[in-house]
Structures are given as structure tokens and as C-alpha cells.
Amino acid sequence: MKPSSGRPAAPAPLVIESSVVEGLPAEGALLLRMSGSLDAEGAQAWSEELRGHLEQADRAGLRPVLDMAHVQLGGAAVLRTLSETTRSRTGRPDLIIVRARPGVREAVHLARLDGVQLYATLDEALRELARAASRVEELPAWRSQMADPLRPSYEDLHKEVRALRARVRTAPVIGMAQGTLMVRYGLPDSGSAFRVLREASQRFNVPLRVLVSAVVVARPPDGDVWFPGRRSLPVPQLRMLARGGRDPRYRRQMIDAVLHEALAIGTAPAGYVQFVDPAVNALMLETHHGCAETFLDQLVRGRGDGTADAAARVRGRQVSVPDVATDTQLSDDCRRALLVTGTQAVHSVPVLSSAGSCTGVITLHWPDAGHRMTAAQAEAFALLASDTAAWLSWYHRSVLLDALEHLHRALTRPAPRAG
């Protein structure tokens, strides 16, 4: 039998999609999702593109994480490129590679590349990073980061672990949103869905985590317009958050303003803001100041039961814990985490929607036991929570729905004809 005269189809080119790990921008990792095939001819182009992404991560102070689950073929080409890349990064943090295919994993393992940390899954990477953090904690002072500026600090490793844990919690919702778009619009693969989500996220400056959650929980569109009859809403009259010329369209700016005002009201050295993610019905850490890393780790793990935050959310009113050591409404795990990090008093206020549902919680910490809010402070705190709820409702019904509407139009408009 004669071989077919037709040429084999050219492999799909390798594509690198970069995104900062959601939840903690500027404190996490630059996730590089790779898909496609790599052969010897494309290795040079891939190497140059990868180098550009790594330089971007270094400039932003982010740890590069390569997700190679969808890289096909080309084990030798991958190995050669990684070898050249790691040599050029001598003295910088190791590359973290997750979900590489067996052939690539074996090649990297046998080559014993310096500067590469290879893990089968994100969970495995998290466990190892946590162990590394504990080892750095035990180093003598003369081997601290001040003595060796290229060595990541204990706090840096804690932040990296926390950011990756946040990514693990977010990943299922991203997958649900990708699947929803693939089914709804007939997209060929999850990569196409992710690219559309990322474009809408960047265009409207909406965090990807927030956008995918909205895709999952919003009612499906029924026509050319996702939300027919929707009118532009005026910005609500904000009494505290309107100060300083803040732009209500910028989510991060407004959330930071919420925390700034809360710390000022309570004259507190530490605090944080959480909003409810409707896709998972859980409080998600949005911003923080002055909180110990070990306590933040507990928040990101989702261990919210037996906390002042959870109590404020369930009860729909402010919860004060003037003495952490003796208060019975706290769980033992929460009490230990607070006391170990020097927190003796806590106060949480829920952010309630106009319908009375809790959409977030603002919490302050103090190092002195017996601390209580004055009546004036509690009143100001309630006013801040009311401002926050009004702004958040406007943002969801304006900026977020604009992003969803744009996404719907982008996926339903006819493709341009080939010219």
C-alpha cells in the first residue's frame, strides 16, 4: 500500500497565555498557560516569547509558574529551550512547572536542570512550597534575605503559597465558566473561552475571578442582548467613599478605600475586607493591611467557621470580640491563629445589600485585649458598610454587567468573512 501523498497537517503553534494569579495581584505569580505543539523549528520563537513573559514577571515581582498540561510533542525542543532559559536566569527564583506531560517531565528530571521545580499538580507544588517556607523560617540570621538578597524571604514564600492557594480555589469556577461558554456559544475548546474571558476582563478592568463568577451565576441570555431594557445607572450618593476623587469604576481603588476608611474609623493597626463570591457562596479576601501572614493563610484556605467574620455574615450585624482569649463564639483554630499573631480584639461589620443579604464583611484587629468600639465609631462603621454596599451594588449592575454584555456580543456577532 502506497503512503498517502498528502502532507501531514501542520501542528498547532504553541501559544502562551499569561495572567496574574487572581485574588492577590502584586503578591502572587504570573501563570503562563501553554497550549499547542512544539517542534525544533518553533523552539526559537517559543524561547523568545517565553523570555519576554519571564522578564515581565521579574519586573512585576511575580513568580513565574508554567502550566504545561496542554503542550503536545516536542519533548527535546522543550528541554532545550528550558535549559537555555534557566541558564539565563541564574540567580533568580526557580521556574515552577506544573502538569507537564510524562515525556517532558521525564526529560527534565533526567537532565537535572538547575533552576526548575517540576510538580505533577498545583497541590503538590503548594505542599512543597509550604515545606520550603518552614525551612527558611529555621535559617540562622546570617543567612537571612538581608545577607543574601537573591534568597526569597519567609514572607515571600508565605505570599507565594497563599496566592497559589487562592488560584486553586478559583480554578474550578474558571473551569465552570469556560464550560458554560463552550456549550452556550459552541466554542471549540476551553482555550478559546479563556481568551474571550480574559479580553473582557482586561477591557473593563474587572478581575477575572469576579467575571467568571458572574458568568456562572447570571441567568443565561435569551437573544442578542443579555440584559434587555437595562439602563445606565447613576453613581450612588456616597458619603465616605466619595472623598479623594475616587473613580467608582475601579474596583481595586474602591476596595482599598473601604479598608483605609475602616482603619481610620477604628484607629486599628490591622484589618481586611472580604466580599462574597456568589459562585461558591463564600467570603473571599479582597485586600488587607497589617495582618500576619499565618492568619491570612487561614483566611485563604477558607477556614471561616467560628470567626467574627462568619458570625457577622450570618447574623447580619456587627460582631465585637473584645477578648479573643476568652470569647466563646470563636473556634479554637481561629483563637489560636489570632493569639499567635498578636491579635487580642476583633470587630467585624457585615456589608448588607438593600435586600438584607450579606455581600461582604469588613474586619479590624487590635493587639490590646478589652478593646471595644465606641458608639460613634460603630455608627461610622455602619455608615461605611452602607456606602460599600451601595457602591458594590452599582458596580455589579453597571461595570460588571457591561463586561458580560460585551462578552455576549463578542461571541454572537457574525465572524468576518475571509476577504
Side-chain angles (χ1 to χ4, degrees):
M1 183 175 179
K2 292 184 179 180
S4 171
S5 59
R7 294 182 179 178
L14 194 80
V15 176
I16 302 178
E17 297 175 341
S18 68
S19 61
V20 176
V21 172
E22 287 298 319
L24 295 167
E27 291 187 354
L30 187 69
L31 186 65
L32 304 175
R33 296 182 181 87
M34 303 181 179
S35 59
S37 301
L38 182 65
D39 54 20
E41 294 180 0
Q44 182 60 35
W46 180 63
S47 176
E48 293 174 0
E49 184 179 359
L50 176 61
R51 188 177 300 113
H53 285 292
L54 296 179
E55 290 174 356
Q56 175 189 352
D58 291 336
R59 285 194 300 269
L62 301 173
R63 185 68 173 270
V65 177
L66 280 60
D67 184 345
M68 303 182 69
H70 301 293
V71 175
Q72 307 284 342
L73 309 175
V78 171
L79 182 61
R80 183 167 59 255
T81 300
L82 289 177
S83 178
E84 294 171 355
T85 301
T86 52
R87 281 201 301 271
S88 68
R89 288 180 58 80
T90 301
R92 297 188 179 185
D94 291 350
L95 295 179
I96 297 174
I97 297 178
V98 298
R99 302 202 304 165
R101 289 177 174 266
V104 176
R105 289 204 305 269
E106 183 177 0
V108 172
H109 177 71
L110 293 176
R112 302 193 179 198
L113 294 181
D114 291 331
V116 173
Q117 296 183 37
L118 192 63
Y119 304 107
T121 65
L122 269 176
D123 285 340
E124 183 182 338
L126 293 177
R127 289 193 296 270
E128 179 56 33
L129 286 170
R131 285 194 291 268
S134 64
R135 289 197 296 270
V136 171
E137 183 180 23
E138 297 169 357
L139 290 174
W142 59 270
R143 294 188 67 186
S144 69
Q145 187 184 26
M146 292 184 66
D148 182 359
L150 296 179
R151 179 183 297 278
S153 69
Y154 177 50
E155 287 189 0
D156 289 339
L157 289 169
H158 255 305
K159 291 175 181 177
E160 185 169 344
V161 171
R162 192 169 73 247
L164 288 173
R165 283 193 180 119
R167 167 64 186 159
V168 168
R169 293 187 69 190
T170 304
V173 183
I174 294 177
M176 291 169 63
Q178 288 174 303
T180 297
L181 296 185
M182 289 170 64
V183 172
R184 185 177 295 167
Y185 300 102
L187 299 180
D189 50 48
S190 60
S192 300
F194 182 83
R195 283 189 288 273
V196 176
L197 288 166
R198 182 183 60 183
E199 189 274 333
S201 169
Q202 294 173 345
R203 177 183 289 264
F204 290 88
N205 198 27
V206 174
L208 184 62
R209 171 176 57 83
V210 175
L211 181 62
V212 297
S213 180
V215 169
V216 169
V217 301
R219 60 176 174 77
D222 184 20
D224 295 337
V225 178
W226 195 334
F227 306 99
R230 185 171 66 98
R231 297 180 180 179
S232 177
L233 297 174
V235 177
Q237 293 294 320
L238 304 176
R239 291 156 288 185
M240 301 182 72
L241 295 180
R243 295 197 286 255
R246 296 156 181 150
D247 191 334
R249 295 172 299 176
Y250 290 95
R251 190 174 186 272
R252 170 55 57 191
Q253 184 181 118
M254 295 299 289
I255 294 174
D256 287 343
V258 171
L259 181 57
H260 174 80
E261 295 289 346
L263 293 170
I265 290 170
T267 59
Y272 53 92
V273 176
Q274 300 175 94
F275 286 158
V276 174
D277 184 333
V280 295
N281 191 32
L283 289 169
M284 304 291 285
L285 180 63
E286 298 285 350
T287 189
H288 60 87
H289 174 79
C291 299
E293 295 293 337
T294 50
F295 179 77
L296 293 174
D297 287 345
Q298 178 158 331
L299 282 181
V300 173
R301 289 192 189 104
R303 298 177 181 176
D305 294 338
T307 65
D309 314 327
R313 182 187 179 191
V314 171
R315 299 173 190 175
R317 58 179 173 81
Q318 298 189 37
V319 171
S320 183
V321 180
D323 190 348
V324 168
T326 60
D327 198 291
T328 58
Q329 63 188 321
L330 299 179
S331 68
D332 290 340
D333 286 343
C334 177
R335 180 179 293 103
R336 279 194 296 268
L338 290 169
L339 292 176
V340 165
T341 56
T343 299
Q344 301 284 345
V346 177
H347 190 89
S348 294
V349 59
V351 176
L352 302 178
S353 71
S354 58
S357 62
C358 182
T359 58
V361 177
I362 309 166
T363 299
L364 297 181
H365 287 180
W366 293 271
D368 49 319
H371 190 287
R372 292 181 182 274
M373 283 276 193
T374 66
Q377 286 175 321
E379 184 178 353
F381 217 167
L383 180 60
L384 174 62
S386 177
D387 260 16
T388 304
W391 163 75
L392 191 60
S393 174
W394 174 86
Y395 180 88
H396 284 170
R397 296 164 62 196
S398 299
V399 179
L400 186 53
L401 293 191
D402 285 345
L404 292 179
E405 199 71 78
H406 168 81
L407 186 149
H408 180 58
R409 287 196 304 270
L411 290 171
T412 54
R413 65 187 174 210
R417 294 181 178 180

